[in-house]
Amino acid sequence: MTPPAWRHITGEEAPPSPVDRAAYTKAGLPWFDYYDDSAADLAPTDTLSGVKPVGEWLGDDHTPWAEPAPGQVKPLGSAPRPGKPVQDGDW
């Protein structure tokens, strides 16, 4: 259930998620870093053009934040080499 649906049904604020960035980091789970400073946004399809960013639904609260430990961030691309472009294919 989404927080807006919770508020609509109960008339109360939704309880906080038990999993946040701090809990994820504290648990030692990996973060993934994909570096591509030359990447540009793709134009959305008609189907996806009405999708709102999560920040518009939940807000842009960046607290609490615990910096990941060294070695916890797994690079997925080679900086500063650009990543491989996404290509059409048979899905």
Side-chain angles (χ1 to χ4, degrees):
M1 176 178 294
T2 65
W6 180 278
R7 273 192 304 276
H8 179 74
I9 293 168
T10 68
E12 301 174 352
E13 286 299 313
S17 170
V19 179
D20 60 12
R21 290 178 299 273
Y24 191 92
T25 300
K26 186 177 179 181
L29 296 170
W31 289 90
F32 296 95
D33 181 25
Y34 183 77
Y35 179 83
D36 189 355
D37 64 351
S38 64
D41 290 341
L42 299 174
T45 65
D46 290 339
T47 304
L48 296 177
S49 63
V51 174
K52 293 181 184 178
V54 172
E56 286 183 24
W57 287 22
L58 303 177
D60 290 326
D61 180 20
H62 296 288
T63 57
W65 170 250
E67 195 69 31
Q72 192 173 353
V73 176
K74 311 287 184 195
L76 296 178
S78 299
R81 185 184 66 118
K84 296 179 183 174
V86 175
Q87 302 208 1
D88 288 333
D90 295 326
W91 304 98

